[in-house]
Amino acid sequence: MSTVDSTVEGEQEEPQNALTKKFTEAEWAALKGFRSILPSVIAEGYRDDPDRTDADTKPVKLWGVDIDPSNPIDARVSVVLMKFLRARNLSIPEAKDMLVSTLRWRESFKVEEALQEEFPEDIFGQLGYIYGHDKEGRPVVYNLYGANKDLDAVFGDVNRFLRWRVAFMEKSIALLDFETIDQMVQIHDYDGVGFSSRTPNSKNAASEASSIFQGHYPELLSRKFFINVPSFLSWVFWIFKPLISSATLAKMSVVGSGKRAIGQALLPVIDADQLPKRYGGEADAF
């Protein structure tokens, strides 16, 4: 799809960055419509917060970007709002519902407080790493599901696990500048995951985490690789394949096990000096 000049005679000049310059004509039209209702959208998002009676005029921070509902014409704000529009096929009413839901969830979940929490290093320290970047400069985020065999420690308190997982996601997003980079690469490593890993708590945690990320973190992934997937889990991907949009499915890859197979899948995306040796690269990392 072609990109267009977003300004016409009589309109305020549109601030641009490398990402907004890629917006299509249809995206600009949807964005301008979305921005026109932004004060009411944000007011609705904080409707139940007695301390936010001025939400329709007071800037709100989302992923490090200040969104001023009374003056949202800002390149980084445009990039953030476009994520909600793209996630809902440029439907303004549906993007509105998603943003309202996200603002309410962030308040009830207390995301900013989760970021300040201290989580036990012996329990969560090896479950997630942010290391290097792909060939386009996107950060690469690793989730190692089998790194801690003490499932009671990891999932015994599902809420604590979710707060750690959300905080980890927020720290990953903090590496996006929304000027040139607005997505990350995720690698989900299932090495060490067995039948015993499928406990009621772990399944509940996985389900809730999936719901959170699908509902409140739109269009933040460039690619997602599932590696070292045990055979007893691989069928799950085939079952859910018909339920996944073609756009999302295009970002996902299920990779085999071993350095060679993993390297063949990851090295076209991540340079060898940015990829850990355990995955077929050259980097001395975790």
Side-chain angles (χ1 to χ4, degrees), residues 63 115 128-131 138-143 164-178 181-186 217 220-221:
W63 305 325
L115 268 168
Y129 296 91
I130 305 170
Y131 184 85
R138 304 180 188 93
V140 183
V141 182
Y142 297 84
N143 292 277
W164 169 80
R165 186 65 186 84
V166 165
F168 183 59
M169 183 65 167
E170 291 282 329
K171 290 173 183 176
S172 304
I173 295 172
L175 299 177
L176 310 178
D177 61 12
F178 297 100
I181 303 295
D182 67 335
Q183 292 184 317
M184 68 188 75
V185 174
Q186 281 190 348
Y217 292 89
L220 288 163
L221 296 183

PDB file of all heavy atoms in Angstrom, residues 63 115 128-131 138-143 164-178 181-186 217 220-221:
ATOM      1  N   TRP A  63       3.144   3.672  27.757  1.00  0.00           N
ATOM      2  CA  TRP A  63       4.402   3.136  27.218  1.00  0.00           C
ATOM      3  C   TRP A  63       5.439   4.238  27.016  1.00  0.00           C
ATOM      4  O   TRP A  63       6.190   4.243  26.046  1.00  0.00           O
ATOM      5  CB  TRP A  63       4.152   2.393  25.913  1.00  0.00           C
ATOM      6  CG  TRP A  63       3.124   1.320  26.033  1.00  0.00           C
ATOM      7  CD1 TRP A  63       2.887   0.517  27.112  1.00  0.00           C
ATOM      8  CD2 TRP A  63       2.174   0.936  25.044  1.00  0.00           C
ATOM      9  NE1 TRP A  63       1.856  -0.349  26.856  1.00  0.00           N
ATOM     10  CE2 TRP A  63       1.397  -0.114  25.603  1.00  0.00           C
ATOM     11  CE3 TRP A  63       1.906   1.371  23.740  1.00  0.00           C
ATOM     12  CZ2 TRP A  63       0.368  -0.733  24.896  1.00  0.00           C
ATOM     13  CZ3 TRP A  63       0.881   0.756  23.041  1.00  0.00           C
ATOM     14  CH2 TRP A  63       0.128  -0.278  23.617  1.00  0.00           C
ATOM     15  N   LEU A 115       5.848  -2.383  38.030  1.00  0.00           N
ATOM     16  CA  LEU A 115       7.184  -2.068  37.536  1.00  0.00           C
ATOM     17  C   LEU A 115       8.166  -1.775  38.670  1.00  0.00           C
ATOM     18  O   LEU A 115       9.377  -1.947  38.509  1.00  0.00           O
ATOM     19  CB  LEU A 115       7.117  -0.865  36.598  1.00  0.00           C
ATOM     20  CG  LEU A 115       6.929  -1.183  35.115  1.00  0.00           C
ATOM     21  CD1 LEU A 115       6.593   0.086  34.347  1.00  0.00           C
ATOM     22  CD2 LEU A 115       8.156  -1.859  34.544  1.00  0.00           C
ATOM     23  N   GLY A 128      13.206 -14.825  31.971  1.00  0.00           N
ATOM     24  CA  GLY A 128      13.106 -13.873  30.882  1.00  0.00           C
ATOM     25  C   GLY A 128      14.369 -13.050  30.713  1.00  0.00           C
ATOM     26  O   GLY A 128      14.996 -12.648  31.702  1.00  0.00           O
ATOM     27  N   TYR A 129      14.750 -12.824  29.461  1.00  0.00           N
ATOM     28  CA  TYR A 129      15.933 -12.017  29.155  1.00  0.00           C
ATOM     29  C   TYR A 129      15.622 -11.099  27.968  1.00  0.00           C
ATOM     30  O   TYR A 129      14.885 -11.470  27.052  1.00  0.00           O
ATOM     31  CB  TYR A 129      17.126 -12.896  28.777  1.00  0.00           C
ATOM     32  CG  TYR A 129      17.613 -13.804  29.873  1.00  0.00           C
ATOM     33  CD1 TYR A 129      17.112 -15.102  30.000  1.00  0.00           C
ATOM     34  CD2 TYR A 129      18.571 -13.379  30.792  1.00  0.00           C
ATOM     35  CE1 TYR A 129      17.554 -15.951  31.000  1.00  0.00           C
ATOM     36  CE2 TYR A 129      19.022 -14.229  31.794  1.00  0.00           C
ATOM     37  CZ  TYR A 129      18.504 -15.508  31.899  1.00  0.00           C
ATOM     38  OH  TYR A 129      18.943 -16.337  32.900  1.00  0.00           O
ATOM     39  N   ILE A 130      16.188  -9.920  28.012  1.00  0.00           N
ATOM     40  CA  ILE A 130      16.160  -9.019  26.862  1.00  0.00           C
ATOM     41  C   ILE A 130      17.602  -8.892  26.399  1.00  0.00           C
ATOM     42  O   ILE A 130      18.460  -8.422  27.151  1.00  0.00           O
ATOM     43  CB  ILE A 130      15.596  -7.634  27.241  1.00  0.00           C
ATOM     44  CG1 ILE A 130      14.215  -7.772  27.882  1.00  0.00           C
ATOM     45  CG2 ILE A 130      15.520  -6.735  26.017  1.00  0.00           C
ATOM     46  CD1 ILE A 130      13.696  -6.486  28.512  1.00  0.00           C
ATOM     47  N   TYR A 131      17.878  -9.357  25.190  1.00  0.00           N
ATOM     48  CA  TYR A 131      19.269  -9.363  24.740  1.00  0.00           C
ATOM     49  C   TYR A 131      19.353  -9.045  23.248  1.00  0.00           C
ATOM     50  O   TYR A 131      18.716  -9.704  22.420  1.00  0.00           O
ATOM     51  CB  TYR A 131      19.932 -10.718  24.997  1.00  0.00           C
ATOM     52  CG  TYR A 131      21.393 -10.716  24.619  1.00  0.00           C
ATOM     53  CD1 TYR A 131      22.351 -10.262  25.519  1.00  0.00           C
ATOM     54  CD2 TYR A 131      21.796 -11.093  23.340  1.00  0.00           C
ATOM     55  CE1 TYR A 131      23.692 -10.206  25.162  1.00  0.00           C
ATOM     56  CE2 TYR A 131      23.134 -11.041  22.974  1.00  0.00           C
ATOM     57  CZ  TYR A 131      24.077 -10.591  23.892  1.00  0.00           C
ATOM     58  OH  TYR A 131      25.401 -10.530  23.530  1.00  0.00           O
ATOM     59  N   ARG A 138      15.248  -3.877  16.225  1.00  0.00           N
ATOM     60  CA  ARG A 138      14.223  -4.177  17.225  1.00  0.00           C
ATOM     61  C   ARG A 138      14.828  -5.000  18.362  1.00  0.00           C
ATOM     62  O   ARG A 138      15.625  -5.911  18.114  1.00  0.00           O
ATOM     63  CB  ARG A 138      13.072  -4.967  16.598  1.00  0.00           C
ATOM     64  CG  ARG A 138      12.411  -4.298  15.398  1.00  0.00           C
ATOM     65  CD  ARG A 138      11.285  -5.167  14.864  1.00  0.00           C
ATOM     66  NE  ARG A 138      10.752  -4.651  13.624  1.00  0.00           N
ATOM     67  CZ  ARG A 138      11.161  -5.022  12.400  1.00  0.00           C
ATOM     68  NH1 ARG A 138      12.127  -5.942  12.286  1.00  0.00           N
ATOM     69  NH2 ARG A 138      10.618  -4.511  11.324  1.00  0.00           N
ATOM     70  N   PRO A 139      14.439  -4.737  19.621  1.00  0.00           N
ATOM     71  CA  PRO A 139      14.947  -5.550  20.730  1.00  0.00           C
ATOM     72  C   PRO A 139      14.431  -6.979  20.634  1.00  0.00           C
ATOM     73  O   PRO A 139      13.336  -7.226  20.111  1.00  0.00           O
ATOM     74  CB  PRO A 139      14.395  -4.842  21.970  1.00  0.00           C
ATOM     75  CG  PRO A 139      13.220  -4.060  21.481  1.00  0.00           C
ATOM     76  CD  PRO A 139      13.536  -3.666  20.075  1.00  0.00           C
ATOM     77  N   VAL A 140      15.234  -7.917  21.126  1.00  0.00           N
ATOM     78  CA  VAL A 140      14.856  -9.326  21.111  1.00  0.00           C
ATOM     79  C   VAL A 140      14.618  -9.771  22.550  1.00  0.00           C
ATOM     80  O   VAL A 140      15.473  -9.586  23.419  1.00  0.00           O
ATOM     81  CB  VAL A 140      15.942 -10.199  20.446  1.00  0.00           C
ATOM     82  CG1 VAL A 140      15.484 -11.654  20.386  1.00  0.00           C
ATOM     83  CG2 VAL A 140      16.263  -9.684  19.042  1.00  0.00           C
ATOM     84  N   VAL A 141      13.452 -10.357  22.783  1.00  0.00           N
ATOM     85  CA  VAL A 141      13.012 -10.725  24.126  1.00  0.00           C
ATOM     86  C   VAL A 141      12.839 -12.237  24.202  1.00  0.00           C
ATOM     87  O   VAL A 141      12.172 -12.832  23.347  1.00  0.00           O
ATOM     88  CB  VAL A 141      11.683 -10.021  24.471  1.00  0.00           C
ATOM     89  CG1 VAL A 141      11.252 -10.367  25.894  1.00  0.00           C
ATOM     90  CG2 VAL A 141      11.816  -8.509  24.293  1.00  0.00           C
ATOM     91  N   TYR A 142      13.450 -12.844  25.222  1.00  0.00           N
ATOM     92  CA  TYR A 142      13.421 -14.300  25.376  1.00  0.00           C
ATOM     93  C   TYR A 142      12.603 -14.678  26.607  1.00  0.00           C
ATOM     94  O   TYR A 142      12.786 -14.125  27.686  1.00  0.00           O
ATOM     95  CB  TYR A 142      14.839 -14.838  25.545  1.00  0.00           C
ATOM     96  CG  TYR A 142      15.740 -14.615  24.355  1.00  0.00           C
ATOM     97  CD1 TYR A 142      16.413 -13.398  24.188  1.00  0.00           C
ATOM     98  CD2 TYR A 142      15.934 -15.611  23.400  1.00  0.00           C
ATOM     99  CE1 TYR A 142      17.248 -13.195  23.096  1.00  0.00           C
ATOM    100  CE2 TYR A 142      16.773 -15.404  22.305  1.00  0.00           C
ATOM    101  CZ  TYR A 142      17.418 -14.193  22.156  1.00  0.00           C
ATOM    102  OH  TYR A 142      18.237 -13.986  21.083  1.00  0.00           O
ATOM    103  N   ASN A 143      11.700 -15.647  26.413  1.00  0.00           N
ATOM    104  CA  ASN A 143      10.957 -16.238  27.528  1.00  0.00           C
ATOM    105  C   ASN A 143      11.330 -17.711  27.604  1.00  0.00           C
ATOM    106  O   ASN A 143      11.107 -18.467  26.643  1.00  0.00           O
ATOM    107  CB  ASN A 143       9.449 -16.096  27.310  1.00  0.00           C
ATOM    108  CG  ASN A 143       8.990 -14.660  27.387  1.00  0.00           C
ATOM    109  OD1 ASN A 143       8.757 -14.122  28.461  1.00  0.00           O
ATOM    110  ND2 ASN A 143       8.864 -14.012  26.238  1.00  0.00           N
ATOM    111  N   TRP A 164       4.811 -10.112  37.513  1.00  0.00           N
ATOM    112  CA  TRP A 164       6.174 -10.207  36.984  1.00  0.00           C
ATOM    113  C   TRP A 164       6.157 -10.192  35.464  1.00  0.00           C
ATOM    114  O   TRP A 164       6.941  -9.471  34.828  1.00  0.00           O
ATOM    115  CB  TRP A 164       6.857 -11.495  37.461  1.00  0.00           C
ATOM    116  CG  TRP A 164       8.144 -11.725  36.721  1.00  0.00           C
ATOM    117  CD1 TRP A 164       9.348 -11.135  36.974  1.00  0.00           C
ATOM    118  CD2 TRP A 164       8.334 -12.547  35.557  1.00  0.00           C
ATOM    119  NE1 TRP A 164      10.285 -11.545  36.050  1.00  0.00           N
ATOM    120  CE2 TRP A 164       9.688 -12.407  35.177  1.00  0.00           C
ATOM    121  CE3 TRP A 164       7.492 -13.386  34.817  1.00  0.00           C
ATOM    122  CZ2 TRP A 164      10.220 -13.083  34.073  1.00  0.00           C
ATOM    123  CZ3 TRP A 164       8.017 -14.048  33.718  1.00  0.00           C
ATOM    124  CH2 TRP A 164       9.365 -13.904  33.362  1.00  0.00           C
ATOM    125  N   ARG A 165       5.244 -10.955  34.874  1.00  0.00           N
ATOM    126  CA  ARG A 165       5.198 -11.064  33.400  1.00  0.00           C
ATOM    127  C   ARG A 165       4.846  -9.728  32.755  1.00  0.00           C
ATOM    128  O   ARG A 165       5.429  -9.354  31.731  1.00  0.00           O
ATOM    129  CB  ARG A 165       4.172 -12.134  33.009  1.00  0.00           C
ATOM    130  CG  ARG A 165       4.151 -12.431  31.510  1.00  0.00           C
ATOM    131  CD  ARG A 165       5.445 -13.047  31.061  1.00  0.00           C
ATOM    132  NE  ARG A 165       5.471 -13.200  29.611  1.00  0.00           N
ATOM    133  CZ  ARG A 165       5.818 -12.246  28.755  1.00  0.00           C
ATOM    134  NH1 ARG A 165       6.199 -11.054  29.221  1.00  0.00           N
ATOM    135  NH2 ARG A 165       5.814 -12.455  27.460  1.00  0.00           N
ATOM    136  N   VAL A 166       3.898  -8.996  33.339  1.00  0.00           N
ATOM    137  CA  VAL A 166       3.524  -7.685  32.807  1.00  0.00           C
ATOM    138  C   VAL A 166       4.682  -6.701  32.969  1.00  0.00           C
ATOM    139  O   VAL A 166       4.992  -5.929  32.058  1.00  0.00           O
ATOM    140  CB  VAL A 166       2.249  -7.158  33.501  1.00  0.00           C
ATOM    141  CG1 VAL A 166       2.050  -5.664  33.242  1.00  0.00           C
ATOM    142  CG2 VAL A 166       1.030  -7.945  33.024  1.00  0.00           C
ATOM    143  N   ALA A 167       5.342  -6.723  34.125  1.00  0.00           N
ATOM    144  CA  ALA A 167       6.487  -5.833  34.346  1.00  0.00           C
ATOM    145  C   ALA A 167       7.592  -6.125  33.337  1.00  0.00           C
ATOM    146  O   ALA A 167       8.227  -5.204  32.804  1.00  0.00           O
ATOM    147  CB  ALA A 167       7.012  -5.989  35.773  1.00  0.00           C
ATOM    148  N   PHE A 168       7.814  -7.398  33.036  1.00  0.00           N
ATOM    149  CA  PHE A 168       8.834  -7.782  32.052  1.00  0.00           C
ATOM    150  C   PHE A 168       8.462  -7.258  30.668  1.00  0.00           C
ATOM    151  O   PHE A 168       9.310  -6.747  29.927  1.00  0.00           O
ATOM    152  CB  PHE A 168       8.985  -9.306  32.036  1.00  0.00           C
ATOM    153  CG  PHE A 168      10.054  -9.806  31.102  1.00  0.00           C
ATOM    154  CD1 PHE A 168      11.373  -9.400  31.244  1.00  0.00           C
ATOM    155  CD2 PHE A 168       9.745 -10.692  30.087  1.00  0.00           C
ATOM    156  CE1 PHE A 168      12.364  -9.865  30.388  1.00  0.00           C
ATOM    157  CE2 PHE A 168      10.721 -11.156  29.223  1.00  0.00           C
ATOM    158  CZ  PHE A 168      12.037 -10.747  29.366  1.00  0.00           C
ATOM    159  N   MET A 169       7.183  -7.347  30.327  1.00  0.00           N
ATOM    160  CA  MET A 169       6.727  -6.818  29.045  1.00  0.00           C
ATOM    161  C   MET A 169       6.909  -5.301  28.984  1.00  0.00           C
ATOM    162  O   MET A 169       7.367  -4.760  27.974  1.00  0.00           O
ATOM    163  CB  MET A 169       5.255  -7.175  28.833  1.00  0.00           C
ATOM    164  CG  MET A 169       4.690  -6.723  27.495  1.00  0.00           C
ATOM    165  SD  MET A 169       5.489  -7.567  26.098  1.00  0.00           S
ATOM    166  CE  MET A 169       4.362  -7.135  24.764  1.00  0.00           C
ATOM    167  N   GLU A 170       6.580  -4.618  30.058  1.00  0.00           N
ATOM    168  CA  GLU A 170       6.714  -3.162  30.091  1.00  0.00           C
ATOM    169  C   GLU A 170       8.178  -2.743  29.962  1.00  0.00           C
ATOM    170  O   GLU A 170       8.500  -1.747  29.303  1.00  0.00           O
ATOM    171  CB  GLU A 170       6.123  -2.608  31.386  1.00  0.00           C
ATOM    172  CG  GLU A 170       4.610  -2.725  31.479  1.00  0.00           C
ATOM    173  CD  GLU A 170       3.883  -1.666  30.669  1.00  0.00           C
ATOM    174  OE1 GLU A 170       4.417  -0.551  30.524  1.00  0.00           O
ATOM    175  OE2 GLU A 170       2.766  -1.955  30.186  1.00  0.00           O
ATOM    176  N   LYS A 171       9.085  -3.504  30.574  1.00  0.00           N
ATOM    177  CA  LYS A 171      10.512  -3.197  30.453  1.00  0.00           C
ATOM    178  C   LYS A 171      10.988  -3.409  29.013  1.00  0.00           C
ATOM    179  O   LYS A 171      11.876  -2.694  28.526  1.00  0.00           O
ATOM    180  CB  LYS A 171      11.321  -4.060  31.422  1.00  0.00           C
ATOM    181  CG  LYS A 171      11.109  -3.682  32.884  1.00  0.00           C
ATOM    182  CD  LYS A 171      11.786  -4.661  33.823  1.00  0.00           C
ATOM    183  CE  LYS A 171      11.485  -4.298  35.276  1.00  0.00           C
ATOM    184  NZ  LYS A 171      12.063  -5.301  36.219  1.00  0.00           N
ATOM    185  N   SER A 172      10.400  -4.376  28.338  1.00  0.00           N
ATOM    186  CA  SER A 172      10.740  -4.603  26.932  1.00  0.00           C
ATOM    187  C   SER A 172      10.253  -3.436  26.078  1.00  0.00           C
ATOM    188  O   SER A 172      10.971  -2.952  25.192  1.00  0.00           O
ATOM    189  CB  SER A 172      10.101  -5.909  26.439  1.00  0.00           C
ATOM    190  OG  SER A 172      10.480  -7.005  27.240  1.00  0.00           O
ATOM    191  N   ILE A 173       9.041  -2.969  26.349  1.00  0.00           N
ATOM    192  CA  ILE A 173       8.463  -1.867  25.584  1.00  0.00           C
ATOM    193  C   ILE A 173       9.254  -0.581  25.810  1.00  0.00           C
ATOM    194  O   ILE A 173       9.337   0.272  24.919  1.00  0.00           O
ATOM    195  CB  ILE A 173       6.986  -1.670  25.966  1.00  0.00           C
ATOM    196  CG1 ILE A 173       6.177  -2.907  25.551  1.00  0.00           C
ATOM    197  CG2 ILE A 173       6.401  -0.423  25.310  1.00  0.00           C
ATOM    198  CD1 ILE A 173       4.738  -2.894  26.050  1.00  0.00           C
ATOM    199  N   ALA A 174       9.853  -0.450  26.987  1.00  0.00           N
ATOM    200  CA  ALA A 174      10.639   0.755  27.286  1.00  0.00           C
ATOM    201  C   ALA A 174      11.810   0.925  26.322  1.00  0.00           C
ATOM    202  O   ALA A 174      12.366   2.024  26.207  1.00  0.00           O
ATOM    203  CB  ALA A 174      11.146   0.707  28.726  1.00  0.00           C
ATOM    204  N   LEU A 175      12.195  -0.135  25.607  1.00  0.00           N
ATOM    205  CA  LEU A 175      13.287  -0.055  24.639  1.00  0.00           C
ATOM    206  C   LEU A 175      12.811   0.427  23.272  1.00  0.00           C
ATOM    207  O   LEU A 175      13.628   0.633  22.367  1.00  0.00           O
ATOM    208  CB  LEU A 175      13.956  -1.425  24.506  1.00  0.00           C
ATOM    209  CG  LEU A 175      14.582  -1.984  25.790  1.00  0.00           C
ATOM    210  CD1 LEU A 175      15.141  -3.375  25.534  1.00  0.00           C
ATOM    211  CD2 LEU A 175      15.676  -1.059  26.295  1.00  0.00           C
ATOM    212  N   LEU A 176      11.513   0.616  23.105  1.00  0.00           N
ATOM    213  CA  LEU A 176      10.962   1.112  21.846  1.00  0.00           C
ATOM    214  C   LEU A 176      10.882   2.628  21.915  1.00  0.00           C
ATOM    215  O   LEU A 176      10.388   3.182  22.884  1.00  0.00           O
ATOM    216  CB  LEU A 176       9.568   0.520  21.608  1.00  0.00           C
ATOM    217  CG  LEU A 176       9.435  -1.003  21.743  1.00  0.00           C
ATOM    218  CD1 LEU A 176       7.983  -1.413  21.524  1.00  0.00           C
ATOM    219  CD2 LEU A 176      10.353  -1.722  20.764  1.00  0.00           C
ATOM    220  N   ASP A 177      11.349   3.309  20.873  1.00  0.00           N
ATOM    221  CA  ASP A 177      11.309   4.770  20.908  1.00  0.00           C
ATOM    222  C   ASP A 177      10.078   5.350  20.221  1.00  0.00           C
ATOM    223  O   ASP A 177       9.801   6.539  20.329  1.00  0.00           O
ATOM    224  CB  ASP A 177      12.586   5.365  20.298  1.00  0.00           C
ATOM    225  CG  ASP A 177      12.798   4.982  18.827  1.00  0.00           C
ATOM    226  OD1 ASP A 177      11.864   4.446  18.192  1.00  0.00           O
ATOM    227  OD2 ASP A 177      13.900   5.241  18.313  1.00  0.00           O
ATOM    228  N   PHE A 178       9.331   4.524  19.491  1.00  0.00           N
ATOM    229  CA  PHE A 178       8.140   4.953  18.752  1.00  0.00           C
ATOM    230  C   PHE A 178       8.473   6.063  17.753  1.00  0.00           C
ATOM    231  O   PHE A 178       7.586   6.786  17.300  1.00  0.00           O
ATOM    232  CB  PHE A 178       7.017   5.373  19.700  1.00  0.00           C
ATOM    233  CG  PHE A 178       6.542   4.243  20.571  1.00  0.00           C
ATOM    234  CD1 PHE A 178       6.979   4.135  21.893  1.00  0.00           C
ATOM    235  CD2 PHE A 178       5.701   3.271  20.074  1.00  0.00           C
ATOM    236  CE1 PHE A 178       6.574   3.072  22.692  1.00  0.00           C
ATOM    237  CE2 PHE A 178       5.288   2.209  20.863  1.00  0.00           C
ATOM    238  CZ  PHE A 178       5.718   2.109  22.175  1.00  0.00           C
ATOM    239  N   ILE A 181      11.549   2.644  15.961  1.00  0.00           N
ATOM    240  CA  ILE A 181      11.285   1.258  16.374  1.00  0.00           C
ATOM    241  C   ILE A 181      10.037   1.228  17.252  1.00  0.00           C
ATOM    242  O   ILE A 181       9.965   1.937  18.261  1.00  0.00           O
ATOM    243  CB  ILE A 181      12.473   0.670  17.165  1.00  0.00           C
ATOM    244  CG1 ILE A 181      13.767   0.728  16.337  1.00  0.00           C
ATOM    245  CG2 ILE A 181      12.170  -0.766  17.592  1.00  0.00           C
ATOM    246  CD1 ILE A 181      13.761  -0.120  15.093  1.00  0.00           C
ATOM    247  N   ASP A 182       9.058   0.409  16.879  1.00  0.00           N
ATOM    248  CA  ASP A 182       7.834   0.322  17.684  1.00  0.00           C
ATOM    249  C   ASP A 182       7.384  -1.121  17.896  1.00  0.00           C
ATOM    250  O   ASP A 182       6.271  -1.367  18.342  1.00  0.00           O
ATOM    251  CB  ASP A 182       6.703   1.126  17.040  1.00  0.00           C
ATOM    252  CG  ASP A 182       6.239   0.535  15.718  1.00  0.00           C
ATOM    253  OD1 ASP A 182       7.032  -0.170  15.056  1.00  0.00           O
ATOM    254  OD2 ASP A 182       5.077   0.786  15.333  1.00  0.00           O
ATOM    255  N   GLN A 183       8.288  -2.074  17.595  1.00  0.00           N
ATOM    256  CA  GLN A 183       7.959  -3.483  17.794  1.00  0.00           C
ATOM    257  C   GLN A 183       9.189  -4.227  18.283  1.00  0.00           C
ATOM    258  O   GLN A 183      10.316  -3.739  18.164  1.00  0.00           O
ATOM    259  CB  GLN A 183       7.450  -4.114  16.489  1.00  0.00           C
ATOM    260  CG  GLN A 183       6.093  -3.590  16.042  1.00  0.00           C
ATOM    261  CD  GLN A 183       5.592  -4.300  14.807  1.00  0.00           C
ATOM    262  OE1 GLN A 183       6.348  -4.543  13.863  1.00  0.00           O
ATOM    263  NE2 GLN A 183       4.311  -4.636  14.782  1.00  0.00           N
ATOM    264  N   MET A 184       8.953  -5.421  18.813  1.00  0.00           N
ATOM    265  CA  MET A 184      10.032  -6.276  19.301  1.00  0.00           C
ATOM    266  C   MET A 184       9.913  -7.658  18.663  1.00  0.00           C
ATOM    267  O   MET A 184       8.889  -8.002  18.060  1.00  0.00           O
ATOM    268  CB  MET A 184       9.954  -6.396  20.828  1.00  0.00           C
ATOM    269  CG  MET A 184       8.738  -7.169  21.315  1.00  0.00           C
ATOM    270  SD  MET A 184       8.519  -7.119  23.115  1.00  0.00           S
ATOM    271  CE  MET A 184       7.901  -5.450  23.343  1.00  0.00           C
ATOM    272  N   VAL A 185      10.965  -8.442  18.815  1.00  0.00           N
ATOM    273  CA  VAL A 185      10.954  -9.851  18.441  1.00  0.00           C
ATOM    274  C   VAL A 185      10.885 -10.662  19.722  1.00  0.00           C
ATOM    275  O   VAL A 185      11.633 -10.392  20.668  1.00  0.00           O
ATOM    276  CB  VAL A 185      12.217 -10.229  17.639  1.00  0.00           C
ATOM    277  CG1 VAL A 185      12.262 -11.741  17.381  1.00  0.00           C
ATOM    278  CG2 VAL A 185      12.272  -9.460  16.330  1.00  0.00           C
ATOM    279  N   GLN A 186       9.995 -11.633  19.779  1.00  0.00           N
ATOM    280  CA  GLN A 186       9.892 -12.508  20.951  1.00  0.00           C
ATOM    281  C   GLN A 186      10.297 -13.921  20.574  1.00  0.00           C
ATOM    282  O   GLN A 186       9.916 -14.423  19.515  1.00  0.00           O
ATOM    283  CB  GLN A 186       8.470 -12.520  21.510  1.00  0.00           C
ATOM    284  CG  GLN A 186       8.114 -11.324  22.351  1.00  0.00           C
ATOM    285  CD  GLN A 186       6.780 -11.505  23.066  1.00  0.00           C
ATOM    286  OE1 GLN A 186       6.013 -12.421  22.776  1.00  0.00           O
ATOM    287  NE2 GLN A 186       6.496 -10.625  24.000  1.00  0.00           N
ATOM    288  N   TYR A 217      -1.993  -5.007  24.610  1.00  0.00           N
ATOM    289  CA  TYR A 217      -0.670  -4.716  24.045  1.00  0.00           C
ATOM    290  C   TYR A 217      -0.695  -4.943  22.533  1.00  0.00           C
ATOM    291  O   TYR A 217      -0.016  -5.829  22.017  1.00  0.00           O
ATOM    292  CB  TYR A 217       0.393  -5.584  24.711  1.00  0.00           C
ATOM    293  CG  TYR A 217       0.636  -5.231  26.167  1.00  0.00           C
ATOM    294  CD1 TYR A 217      -0.095  -5.817  27.186  1.00  0.00           C
ATOM    295  CD2 TYR A 217       1.595  -4.277  26.510  1.00  0.00           C
ATOM    296  CE1 TYR A 217       0.116  -5.476  28.518  1.00  0.00           C
ATOM    297  CE2 TYR A 217       1.825  -3.942  27.846  1.00  0.00           C
ATOM    298  CZ  TYR A 217       1.073  -4.544  28.837  1.00  0.00           C
ATOM    299  OH  TYR A 217       1.293  -4.199  30.161  1.00  0.00           O
ATOM    300  N   LEU A 220       2.619  -4.863  18.987  1.00  0.00           N
ATOM    301  CA  LEU A 220       3.951  -4.600  19.527  1.00  0.00           C
ATOM    302  C   LEU A 220       4.964  -5.674  19.120  1.00  0.00           C
ATOM    303  O   LEU A 220       6.141  -5.551  19.432  1.00  0.00           O
ATOM    304  CB  LEU A 220       3.895  -4.480  21.051  1.00  0.00           C
ATOM    305  CG  LEU A 220       3.224  -3.192  21.549  1.00  0.00           C
ATOM    306  CD1 LEU A 220       2.828  -3.318  23.016  1.00  0.00           C
ATOM    307  CD2 LEU A 220       4.136  -1.999  21.353  1.00  0.00           C
ATOM    308  N   LEU A 221       4.500  -6.708  18.435  1.00  0.00           N
ATOM    309  CA  LEU A 221       5.388  -7.792  18.024  1.00  0.00           C
ATOM    310  C   LEU A 221       5.643  -7.752  16.525  1.00  0.00           C
ATOM    311  O   LEU A 221       4.708  -7.656  15.729  1.00  0.00           O
ATOM    312  CB  LEU A 221       4.782  -9.150  18.386  1.00  0.00           C
ATOM    313  CG  LEU A 221       4.588  -9.459  19.872  1.00  0.00           C
ATOM    314  CD1 LEU A 221       4.056 -10.872  20.034  1.00  0.00           C
ATOM    315  CD2 LEU A 221       5.881  -9.283  20.636  1.00  0.00           C
TER     316      LEU A 221
END
